Amino acid sequence: MAERIQARYRIETPLPIEQAAASLAGEQSSGTFVNVPGETNELKERFGARLESTHSLEPSAEPALPGARGKKADRYNRAEVVVSWPTENVGTNLPTLVSTLQGNLYELSQFSGLKLLDIDLPASFAGAFRGPKFGIEGTRRLTGVADRPMIGTIIKPSIGLTPEYTANLVDQLAAAGIDFVKDDELMANPPSSPFKVRVEKVMAVVNRHADKTGKRVMVAFNITGEVDEMLANHDLVVKAGGTCVMISLNSVGLSAVKKIADHAAVPIHGHRNGWGMMNRHPWLGIEFPAYQTLWRLAGVDQLHVNGIANKFWEEDDSVVRSMAACRRSTCNLRPILPVVSSGQWGGQAPETYRRTQTTDLLYLAGGGILAHPMGPAAGVLALRQAWEAAVAGVPLDQYARTRPELQKTIEKFGGKSQ
Amino acid sequence: MAERIQARYRIETPLPIEQAAASLAGEQSSGTFVNVPGETNELKERFGARLESTHSLEPSAEPALPGARGKKADRYNRAEVVVSWPTENVGTNLPTLVSTLQGNLYELSQFSGLKLLDIDLPASFAGAFRGPKFGIEGTRRLTGVADRPMIGTIIKPSIGLTPEYTANLVDQLAAAGIDFVKDDELMANPPSSPFKVRVEKVMAVVNRHADKTGKRVMVAFNITGEVDEMLANHDLVVKAGGTCVMISLNSVGLSAVKKIADHAAVPIHGHRNGWGMMNRHPWLGIEFPAYQTLWRLAGVDQLHVNGIANKFWEEDDSVVRSMAACRRSTCNLRPILPVVSSGQWGGQAPETYRRTQTTDLLYLAGGGILAHPMGPAAGVLALRQAWEAAVAGVPLDQYARTRPELQKTIEKFGGKSQ
């Protein structure tokens, strides 16, 4: 019996659920709009996608998306369905897995809503992939942080800083004991900050601090670009003593990211900018648990999950689910380190810990560190203090009484909605 | 004065339009959620994105997408806005262009709808890219079709056919005078049809026909996969005498596709499966004119645009706009050949021609050819006849009176809504 890949979808359709689900399975395996010679029962039996289960949801009076077939229906049926494919349809071809599980499905007029929720892979399929080489444990090892969240920041302003200014900022942050620094996703290799020069200047600072203190700040240099450029820039980082490279995953795409991850000697920091396009509508696109599975197969080590009470649109429940998805077990593949960011300043630490009960995360604060009234060093310290309080279960205000850095952070950022 | 990249968006926001547009420009250039040191006026002046123009649209009483900031508004303002960036923010880094023009924008809670409509590039930016090596003219040259649409089909069933069966089908199609055949996007390199064997078997047939008739059928072999695998499989196709390779663009991603296009000695057939996720909602994602610009920069030669009266959800107006976008002039970059497909059987030829006044297209019929009552050869002939009628302005029924192939096609498919 062939092993099967399972995918769970949330669907909405003017048709009976079983009929719509059959068209999903047909379109993504043997189907065309009429029967053709060669589409034998034996072929359908062996290669056809199969509806495994259906769980009805409350129907809707209005369609979630435009373009559903025929004239307006009285009601739009909703369900969660599980569909499966034999692994032999795909081989171990990762982009073709995506074309099979998503592909033309969003175009089908049989649906007025379709979202891929999660993917369940047989061990034989996942076993063909190495997955993250570093993940949570590898990142902890390289940063030397064992028992608390890794604390990081994003170089801001996003664009326009010279390599010298950036290196100077990293100098201050390293002196303050920060664990992690990243380029902004808008800053890759522009004329005002050539990648090579930036790496040289920044790594000189990082190496100097590492020599002195034994602590090597992990800097995620944004290598986003063409394939050969990314390979070369990865090598440049490693040669300079760097311990991380960053890629804008959606902009670069799955095949090139896998190429870099296969080659990489340091963790891949996966930035998910562009993700909102795939997820913001509740009845269109892909949910994070499925999304992270694809990037885990490609070998991404760290992946953005937004943060509790973020500045973006996403709700906390979704962030909590994403963090759990990164950390869950998937066959032989190492868990991904969740990167918590967006409007984070430390005040979200208690709620983040309460809901996830873990410190296996990278906690990024941009303005929260660099705009701290007492300077970036105090900003870093305040974030550590906030997490100490969170883990100890002590209210932040109380913990801040003897800690002026946290106190100032609360005064500056605590009144804001984020 | 630095040259600027312009992008046009359709936005919806509970905020005043100018305020929302300012947050768009800030987030995608120098902004973070608080002012930080280093974000000088000079830096903002030089690197800041700029709102160029605003065109108000009718507001909506309800938000198009969930997650907009604050409590429910009375009205959601709508507008088309044009925003510009200095090219020096991006350099000539294609994926970073995507991160800049799309990136985190869809996540912003200042918006309840945001869609990238089109991109306008200065010649200095586009000039750094070679773009399509073949496009319309190159594909015409390789297929030997000068003055009518190129007619093609998709090997169906999508999955499960042996290389021998596929080659046998191509044999029939070549004998019928078809111009173009493509693999299905679900069929890349599965165990049941290993890529290498499929290319060998199919190209033996193609070469045999070419030797006999001088006409070489263009077969778009689906090389979708990992970077090295795609490079090797491209080379395999070229070595066997093949004239096209196909890639599932969204599944593979921009950087890997550009790598293959840079290397390619034959046209890249770009399949857009996954596109519905990016475009189906009117207030989320990206419109085709912007989308094709990105793939044109990457070097894709042929790009799917769906078809008039297609089996999918898309409206005809949108298909017509997409065809125009592929064919329009963009700096130094060759136009892309529009690939018309989905439920096409010939009956849509008159309306397609009436609305586009061009035969610069590749017209794909799947079931329309392979399920023709008189066999695939008659299916191909019927499609040519349909296009002859369309260009001549003769009604299909009238043209079919003396042409049984077209007559049978109309009888079989003409009654269907597609």
Side-chain angles (χ1 to χ4, degrees):
Chain A
M1 185 72 185
E3 286 196 295
R4 300 179 80 84
I5 297 159
Q6 291 203 341
R8 192 158 53 86
Y9 299 90
R10 190 161 59 226
I11 61 173
E12 185 192 276
T13 174
L15 305 172
I17 291 292
E18 280 70 19
Q19 187 184 335
S23 69
L24 184 168
E27 173 73 19
Q28 295 307 88
S29 55
S30 64
T32 180
F33 79 105
V34 290
N35 287 325
V36 294
E39 194 179 353
T40 60
N41 285 337
E42 187 196 348
L43 182 144
K44 285 190 198 180
E45 180 81 16
R46 178 166 160 197
F47 297 100
R50 195 164 69 199
L51 178 61
E52 298 286 350
S53 68
T54 299
H55 172 70
S56 294
L57 303 171
E58 276 296 303
S60 170
E62 296 293 330
L65 298 173
R69 177 168 290 181
K71 62 178 195 290
K72 197 174 172 318
D74 290 339
R75 66 178 227 169
Y76 295 83
N77 299 305
R78 292 179 163 182
E80 274 194 24
V81 299
V82 174
V83 179
S84 73
W85 287 259
T87 51
E88 71 167 327
N89 286 29
V90 171
T92 54
N93 189 312
L94 189 52
T96 300
L97 177 69
V98 174
S99 291
T100 301
L101 301 190
Q102 302 185 262
N104 279 344
L105 283 180
Y106 306 107
E107 306 268 6
L108 296 188
S109 56
Q110 288 92 335
F111 295 97
S112 53
L114 186 142
K115 196 156 198 169
L116 173 58
L117 303 181
D118 211 347
I119 305 169
D120 193 16
L121 300 167
S124 64
F125 185 91
F129 295 84
R130 176 164 180 172
K133 290 178 185 164
F134 296 89
I136 295 169
E137 288 312 306
T139 303
R140 283 204 176 282
R141 194 172 64 244
L142 286 168
T143 54
V145 177
D147 53 2
R148 56 170 175 82
M150 288 157 275
I151 304 290
T153 194
I154 305 144
I155 297 290
K156 297 275 179 184
S158 316
I159 188 82
L161 295 181
T162 61
E164 291 75 15
Y165 193 105
T166 302
N168 185 41
L169 212 49
V170 172
D171 197 8
Q172 291 177 58
L173 292 160
I178 205 162
D179 306 311
F180 179 96
V181 176
K182 69 177 274 294
D183 280 335
D184 194 88
E185 77 274 15
L186 301 176
M187 170 73 102
N189 191 11
S192 61
S193 184
F195 189 84
K196 187 163 184 290
V197 181
R198 191 162 81 248
V199 170
E200 274 168 21
K201 302 278 183 197
V202 169
M203 285 312 301
V205 166
V206 168
N207 289 332
R208 179 160 47 76
H209 281 276
D211 289 346
K212 202 164 62 182
T213 66
K215 181 175 175 68
R216 177 171 296 273
V217 179
M218 178 178 278
V219 180
F221 289 102
N222 183 6
I223 62 170
T224 298
E226 306 202 7
V227 171
D228 295 338
E229 180 187 12
M230 290 193 285
L231 289 169
N233 285 343
H234 162 274
D235 292 353
L236 201 73
V237 168
V238 172
K239 203 173 157 199
T243 51
C244 190
V245 294
M246 161 175 156
I247 304 178
S248 288
L249 302 178
N250 302 313
S251 304
V252 161
L254 203 52
S255 296
V257 168
K258 179 153 194 307
K259 172 78 180 164
I260 308 305
D262 285 344
H263 171 81
V266 295
I268 306 283
H269 182 86
H271 199 288
R272 70 173 192 180
N273 67 81
W275 164 244
M277 175 165 70
M278 310 178 195
N279 179 249
R280 182 149 174 187
H281 195 285
W283 291 91
L284 180 65
I286 176 172
E287 290 277 0
F288 190 86
Y291 179 79
Q292 67 82 31
T293 300
L294 297 173
W295 293 110
R296 196 190 292 209
L297 287 164
V300 168
D301 296 283
Q302 310 171 351
L303 186 54
H304 282 244
V305 295
N306 215 334
I308 295 286
N310 59 76
K311 69 172 177 172
F312 291 144
W313 74 277
E314 192 175 354
E315 287 175 12
D316 291 351
D317 285 354
S318 171
V319 176
V320 170
R321 274 198 305 274
S322 297
M323 290 178 68
C326 283
R327 295 171 55 238
R328 78 183 179 192
S329 169
T330 299
C331 305
N332 60 309
L333 308 171
R334 285 196 181 86
I336 294 181
L337 177 67
V339 181
V340 175
S341 83
S342 176
Q344 301 294 301
W345 59 275
Q348 300 96 332
E351 179 69 359
T352 307
Y353 187 73
R354 185 184 73 77
R355 297 200 58 178
T356 63
Q357 294 290 309
T358 186
T359 59
D360 277 344
L361 56 98
L362 174 53
Y363 190 79
L364 298 187
I369 290 177
L370 291 175
H372 192 282
M374 297 161 69
V380 173
L381 195 50
L383 289 171
R384 285 209 204 175
Q385 292 164 348
W387 274 97
E388 286 165 16
V391 174
V394 178
L396 277 198
D397 283 345
Q398 181 184 327
Y399 205 71
R401 275 179 214 148
T402 54
R403 292 167 181 90
E405 299 83 6
L406 182 56
Q407 186 58 44
K408 287 289 180 194
T409 280
I410 295 170
E411 285 167 17
K412 174 147 190 180
F413 301 108
K416 302 207 174 188
S417 61
Q418 66 269 6
Chain B
M1 182 75 184
E3 287 196 294
R4 300 180 79 84
I5 297 160
Q6 291 202 340
R8 193 158 53 85
Y9 298 90
R10 191 161 57 225
I11 61 172
E12 184 193 276
T13 174
L15 305 173
I17 291 291
E18 281 69 20
Q19 186 184 335
S23 69
L24 184 167
E27 173 73 20
Q28 294 308 88
S29 56
S30 65
T32 180
F33 80 106
V34 290
N35 287 324
V36 294
E39 193 179 353
T40 60
N41 285 337
E42 188 196 349
L43 181 143
K44 284 190 197 179
E45 180 80 16
R46 178 167 162 196
F47 297 98
R50 194 162 71 200
L51 179 63
E52 298 286 350
S53 68
T54 298
H55 171 70
S56 294
L57 303 171
E58 277 295 303
S60 169
E62 297 292 330
L65 298 174
R69 176 167 291 179
K71 63 178 194 292
K72 197 174 172 321
D74 289 339
R75 67 177 228 169
Y76 294 83
N77 298 306
R78 291 178 164 184
E80 274 193 24
V81 299
V82 174
V83 179
S84 74
W85 287 259
T87 51
E88 71 168 327
N89 285 30
V90 171
T92 54
N93 188 313
L94 190 52
T96 300
L97 177 69
V98 175
S99 291
T100 300
L101 301 190
Q102 302 186 263
N104 279 344
L105 283 180
Y106 306 106
E107 304 269 6
L108 296 188
S109 56
Q110 287 91 334
F111 295 97
S112 52
L114 187 142
K115 195 156 197 167
L116 173 59
L117 302 181
D118 210 347
I119 304 169
D120 192 15
L121 300 168
S124 65
F125 185 91
F129 295 83
R130 176 165 179 170
K133 290 178 185 164
F134 297 89
I136 295 170
E137 288 312 305
T139 303
R140 282 204 178 280
R141 194 173 65 244
L142 287 168
T143 54
V145 177
D147 53 1
R148 57 169 176 80
M150 288 157 273
I151 304 289
T153 194
I154 305 143
I155 297 290
K156 298 274 180 185
S158 316
I159 188 83
L161 294 182
T162 61
E164 291 75 15
Y165 193 104
T166 301
N168 184 43
L169 213 49
V170 172
D171 197 8
Q172 291 177 59
L173 291 160
I178 204 162
D179 306 310
F180 178 97
V181 176
K182 68 178 276 293
D183 280 335
D184 194 89
E185 78 272 15
L186 301 176
M187 169 74 100
N189 191 10
S192 60
S193 183
F195 189 84
K196 189 163 184 291
V197 181
R198 191 161 81 248
V199 169
E200 273 168 22
K201 303 277 183 199
V202 169
M203 285 313 300
V205 166
V206 168
N207 290 331
R208 179 160 48 75
H209 282 276
D211 289 345
K212 202 164 62 181
T213 66
K215 181 175 174 68
R216 178 171 294 274
V217 178
M218 179 177 277
V219 180
F221 289 102
N222 183 7
I223 63 170
T224 297
E226 306 203 6
V227 172
D228 295 338
E229 180 186 13
M230 289 193 286
L231 289 170
N233 284 344
H234 162 274
D235 292 352
L236 201 72
V237 169
V238 172
K239 202 174 158 199
T243 52
C244 190
V245 293
M246 161 176 157
I247 304 179
S248 288
L249 302 178
N250 303 312
S251 303
V252 161
L254 203 52
S255 295
V257 169
K258 179 154 193 311
K259 172 78 180 166
I260 308 306
D262 285 344
H263 171 81
V266 295
I268 307 281
H269 181 87
H271 199 288
R272 69 172 193 181
N273 66 82
W275 163 244
M277 174 164 71
M278 310 177 195
N279 180 250
R280 183 150 174 185
H281 195 283
W283 291 91
L284 180 65
I286 176 171
E287 290 277 0
F288 189 85
Y291 178 79
Q292 67 82 28
T293 300
L294 298 172
W295 293 110
R296 195 190 294 208
L297 287 164
V300 168
D301 295 283
Q302 310 171 349
L303 186 53
H304 282 243
V305 295
N306 215 334
I308 296 285
N310 59 76
K311 70 172 175 172
F312 292 145
W313 74 277
E314 193 176 352
E315 287 175 11
D316 291 351
D317 286 354
S318 171
V319 175
V320 170
R321 273 198 306 275
S322 297
M323 289 177 70
C326 283
R327 295 171 55 236
R328 77 183 180 195
S329 169
T330 299
C331 305
N332 60 308
L333 308 171
R334 284 197 181 86
I336 294 180
L337 177 67
V339 180
V340 175
S341 83
S342 176
Q344 301 293 301
W345 59 274
Q348 300 95 334
E351 179 69 0
T352 307
Y353 187 73
R354 187 184 73 76
R355 298 201 57 178
T356 63
Q357 293 292 310
T358 188
T359 59
D360 277 343
L361 57 97
L362 174 54
Y363 190 78
L364 298 187
I369 289 177
L370 292 174
H372 192 283
M374 296 161 69
V380 172
L381 195 51
L383 289 171
R384 285 209 204 174
Q385 292 164 347
W387 273 97
E388 287 164 14
V391 173
V394 179
L396 278 198
D397 283 345
Q398 182 184 327
Y399 205 72
R401 276 179 212 147
T402 54
R403 293 168 181 88
E405 300 83 4
L406 182 55
Q407 186 58 46
K408 287 289 180 196
T409 280
I410 294 171
E411 284 168 18
K412 174 146 189 181
F413 301 108
K416 300 208 176 188
S417 61
Q418 68 269 2

